[in-house]
Amino acid sequence: MKMYNTLSGQKEDFSPQGDEVKMYVCGINPYSDSHIGHAMCYIFFDVVRRYLEFRGYKVKHVQNITDIEDNIIARANRLDISVPELTQKYVERYDEDMAALNVLPAHVYPRAMGEIDKMLEIIQGLVDKGFAYPSKGNVYFRVSNVPDYGKLSNRNLESMMAGVRIEPEEGKEHPMDFILWKAAKPGEPSWESPWGEGRPGWHIECSAMSMKYLGETIDIHGGGQDVLFPHHENEIAQSESFTGKKPVVRYWLHNGLVQMGEEKMSKSLGNLITIREALEKYSADAIRIFSIGSYYRSPLTYSEEILEAAEKGSERLRQVAHSADGGEKSEGQIDTESYRNRFIEAMDDDFGTAQALATLFDLARDMNRLSDGGIDTAEARETLTELGGALGLTFEAPKKPELDVEPLRELLLSTNENRQEAKLGELSRDGLPDEADSLLELITTTRTGFRGAKLWQAADEIRNKLDELGITLEDTAQGTEWKYKR
């Protein structure tokens, strides 16, 4: 296996330091719902973990929860609730989102508020070694004492300062020094420390949690490219200064960001699609295919068209995965081992998920062709399911809600006057089907007839009433399609 290491800027052979792969992934700031950008990150690192386990490795996966920071405090104050109340709500919603996306839970989810002692231990150690200094109740990291500061982002202090106006901050020795401990402010949670009441800075928490739960050197550290600098850069500086220059991470992996137009999708910008909103329209497998359908280090642009294509792709795989056995057992018709080798070759080359997905679609195409010819494809179906599972695909059809058919009948009967004008014929209650799906097909046909007769208002009324019942209509080149809201 090879993986691209951000630190070296090249692909490297993967060789974990022990029997257990230690993987740390930067987690959420739980002050609002998670969005599709978060989904891409956590789906990708879920695939990393699944594939490592598929290849026989044992993995210990730790993911932090930043439950104390500026945005959280500000939001809690605006809502007039406590910080723990706010963060607990959105942690629970995040857990629900990840379960819906079939993302495996991390083995440990440490929270910043629960790890203050370890942070204080590291900060005190950095002060004792001359890498940090207290000032007016704050504690700052002294970047000028780290000759290789900037090695992850391939920068140096001079380039960081060049062309950027950095306002001097009272109490800091150097403009790039970053905060480890913040002096307490009114209305903010705070803890006792040797430097007075305060709370930790953002960067120190990951060093503390990674070190406490995985050790001083770990195998894989993951996160989005937006936290490469300054967060991960500062994490390296403070961790390696504390441990005496032991490498904190052996392989740094960073995924590209989801964009809305020209900008990255983010909570702070407000240009986002939440995971919950996406799951109302698309299946978990479709969102996963969208997220891993291209090289993970490249940016990904959110597009309804791309997600629609991903949905259709997931449906093709789903149908093949659940196709019935049939025909005579015929050896050698599908060389499943060649597909397995293609899949492994793609994934072993820096998690080539796009090529791995292409392998699954090629296998599904061959299975369709042979099953149409009466050949049993049971063995190939097992291979498809196994390889798809390594990517976290479920091949499960979205669960249909239990719809009350009576409102659908009433909707159809209410269209009789317009049906006569459109020359579609009158409906009677006794002549209506009993199944929701059949009723919806009839409603869709009725609306198509109204549109053909240019009864636009009547057609819009059908759409609006169905929306209230949890059904969406989509007008495509192939006709109108209805879908259950997920």
Side-chain angles (χ1 to χ4, degrees):
M1 285 184 65
K2 291 181 180 291
M3 56 184 70
Y4 184 91
N5 188 347
T6 307
L7 184 60
S8 67
Q10 60 188 10
K11 293 179 186 177
E12 299 178 5
D13 291 330
F14 179 62
S15 178
Q17 59 186 338
D19 296 334
E20 183 178 65
V21 177
K22 299 176 179 179
M23 183 172 81
Y24 184 95
V25 179
C26 281
I28 58 165
N29 294 7
Y31 63 91
S32 62
D33 279 331
S34 300
H35 56 69
I36 286 295
H38 297 124
M40 178 193 178
C41 176
Y42 299 123
I43 284 172
F44 170 68
F45 286 104
D46 179 66
V47 169
V48 170
R49 172 179 164 185
R50 286 175 182 273
Y51 185 67
L52 289 170
E53 292 174 343
F54 171 84
R55 294 288 270 140
Y57 294 102
K58 182 180 179 182
V59 180
K60 184 174 182 181
H61 175 195
V62 176
Q63 184 171 307
N64 70 302
I65 295 173
T66 300
D67 61 351
I68 179 70
E69 56 93 47
D70 293 346
N71 289 318
I72 292 172
I73 294 169
R75 181 80 187 275
N77 287 340
R78 285 198 304 271
L79 297 176
D80 195 25
I81 60 177
S82 70
V83 165
E85 183 180 355
L86 175 70
T87 57
Q88 183 60 30
K89 172 184 175 180
Y90 286 107
V91 166
E92 290 175 0
R93 288 174 71 84
Y94 168 80
D95 289 342
E96 293 168 358
D97 289 345
M98 293 300 104
L101 292 173
N102 195 35
V103 171
L104 295 171
H107 297 107
V108 186
Y109 283 107
R111 301 192 186 194
M113 282 193 183
E115 308 298 339
I116 301 296
D117 287 348
K118 184 63 177 180
M119 297 182 212
L120 290 173
E121 174 193 335
I122 296 173
I123 296 170
Q124 184 65 67
L126 291 171
V127 170
D128 293 343
K129 295 179 179 184
F131 289 103
Y133 58 94
S135 176
K136 302 181 183 300
N138 301 313
V139 181
Y140 295 97
F141 185 87
R142 187 176 277 123
V143 294
S144 57
N145 277 19
V146 181
D148 60 358
Y149 181 71
K151 62 183 178 181
L152 182 66
S153 55
N154 198 26
R155 313 180 189 192
N156 54 42
L157 284 177
E158 290 73 24
S159 66
M160 293 177 197
M161 298 286 292
V164 179
R165 181 176 176 83
I166 301 176
E167 296 293 338
E169 187 174 327
E170 187 179 358
K172 289 174 66 171
E173 296 177 356
H174 189 284
M176 294 303 297
D177 288 351
F178 58 89
I179 200 159
L180 300 171
W181 186 260
K182 297 184 176 185
K185 294 180 181 178
E188 292 187 355
S190 62
W191 289 263
E192 289 283 351
S193 84
W195 315 283
E197 288 273 337
R199 62 181 173 90
W202 174 35
H203 309 302
I204 193 63
E205 70 172 91
C206 283
S207 287
M209 296 178 190
S210 174
M211 209 174 293
K212 178 176 178 178
Y213 293 98
L214 294 174
E216 293 183 345
T217 299
I218 70 172
D219 295 299
I220 296 172
H221 195 317
Q225 290 174 357
D226 54 339
V227 293
L228 193 161
F229 184 87
H231 183 52
H232 287 167
E233 194 73 74
N234 292 347
E235 190 178 339
I236 290 176
Q238 62 201 12
S239 293
E240 295 186 355
S241 297
F242 177 75
T243 63
K245 296 303 177 184
K246 291 181 182 177
V248 61
V249 175
R250 303 179 73 238
Y251 303 91
W252 286 92
L253 272 61
H254 293 92
N255 64 277
L257 307 178
V258 176
Q259 295 179 322
M260 289 288 284
E262 298 298 320
E263 296 180 314
K264 76 166 186 175
M265 187 178 291
S266 73
K267 291 181 181 180
S268 59
L269 294 174
N271 59 337
L272 53 83
I273 304 294
T274 68
I275 294 171
R276 289 170 182 246
E277 289 170 338
L279 284 168
E280 287 181 357
K281 300 184 67 176
Y282 307 106
S283 66
D285 277 3
I287 294 173
R288 188 171 282 259
I289 289 173
F290 164 77
S291 299
I292 63 174
S294 57
Y295 185 40
Y296 74 91
R297 296 183 62 244
S298 301
L300 183 61
T301 300
Y302 180 86
S303 158
E304 297 282 346
E305 291 77 16
I306 297 175
L307 272 158
E308 287 291 347
E311 188 68 82
K312 291 175 181 176
S314 68
E315 179 60 28
R316 288 199 302 274
L317 293 176
R318 187 180 305 129
Q319 289 175 352
V320 174
H322 293 288
S323 60
D325 293 340
E328 298 293 330
K329 184 70 175 178
S330 180
E331 298 296 335
Q333 293 295 330
I334 295 183
D335 184 0
T336 56
E337 195 61 26
S338 68
Y339 282 104
R340 180 186 299 276
N341 290 338
R342 276 181 57 190
F343 181 89
I344 291 173
E345 182 180 1
M347 291 295 289
D348 274 0
D349 185 11
D350 194 28
F351 304 103
T353 52
Q355 294 78 12
L357 280 171
T359 301
L360 297 189
F361 282 110
D362 286 348
L363 174 57
R365 182 198 60 215
D366 279 358
M367 289 171 63
N368 264 333
R369 176 176 56 83
L370 292 177
S371 61
D372 288 345
I375 304 299
D376 185 11
T377 58
E379 181 182 347
R381 191 163 59 254
E382 290 177 4
T383 300
L384 179 68
T385 301
E386 180 190 12
L387 299 182
L391 298 179
L393 297 172
T394 66
F395 303 126
E396 293 178 0
K399 293 181 180 178
K400 295 180 180 180
E402 294 184 5
L403 287 179
D404 184 355
V405 297
E406 190 56 33
L408 299 178
R409 292 196 183 100
E410 292 297 334
L411 173 55
L412 276 167
L413 293 173
S414 72
T415 66
N416 269 333
E417 183 176 341
N418 294 114
R419 286 179 64 87
Q420 291 176 357
E421 186 176 348
K423 299 181 180 179
L424 296 178
E426 188 172 348
L427 297 172
S428 66
R429 182 177 292 275
D430 291 341
L432 295 177
D434 295 325
E435 300 294 329
D437 287 10
S438 299
L439 289 166
L440 285 165
E441 291 292 348
L442 184 52
I443 291 171
T444 302
T445 302
T446 300
R447 180 176 174 274
T448 299
F450 288 175
R451 286 164 61 86
K454 298 184 179 180
L455 299 175
W456 309 115
Q457 183 175 349
D460 288 343
E461 287 176 357
I462 289 177
R463 178 194 287 276
N464 294 337
K465 289 178 181 177
L466 285 179
D467 186 71
E468 294 173 2
L469 295 173
I471 303 295
T472 60
L473 294 181
E474 295 183 8
D475 297 315
T476 70
Q478 291 73 39
T480 301
E481 300 175 354
W482 58 266
K483 293 182 179 180
Y484 293 98
K485 288 184 178 180
R486 295 181 174 85

